[in-house]
């Protein structure tokens, strides 16, 4: 993970920085691309969020 932003890694994995450091960092240090992790995603628009919720309403989530 050399060069990867640990905060982006945690966000992408939907966990905390502490969990990444404690359990995963030593295992994935040689197999992750910093360029793939350090990518900012565009925020969804309200319209996109509403459409997503409508599509997944049957799941009860």
């Amino acid at each position: 993970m050399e060069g990867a932003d640990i905060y982006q890694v945690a966000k992408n994995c939907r966990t905390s920085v502490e969990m990444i450091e404690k359990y995963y960092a030593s295992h994935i240090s040689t197999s992750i691309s910093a360029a793939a992790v350090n990518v900012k995603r565009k925020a969804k628009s309200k319209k996109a969020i509403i459409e997503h919720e409508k599509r997944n309403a049957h799941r009860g989530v």
Side-chain angles (χ1 to χ4, degrees):
M1 284 188 348
E2 189 173 326
D5 178 19
I6 193 72
Y7 298 101
Q8 279 300 119
V9 173
K11 185 176 179 179
N12 288 340
C13 295
R14 295 187 174 115
T15 190
S16 67
V17 171
E18 292 80 17
M19 286 295 125
I20 295 294
E21 290 174 337
K22 186 174 181 179
Y23 294 105
Y24 304 110
S26 65
H27 300 291
I28 60 174
S29 62
T30 59
S31 64
I32 193 166
S33 166
V37 172
N38 295 330
V39 175
K40 299 274 183 178
R41 293 186 179 154
K42 281 195 331 186
K44 288 185 178 180
S45 67
K46 278 188 174 183
K47 182 179 178 181
I49 293 169
I50 291 169
E51 289 174 4
H52 178 76
E53 289 173 351
K54 285 180 183 177
R55 284 193 306 268
N56 293 302
H58 69 280
R59 294 183 180 179
V61 177

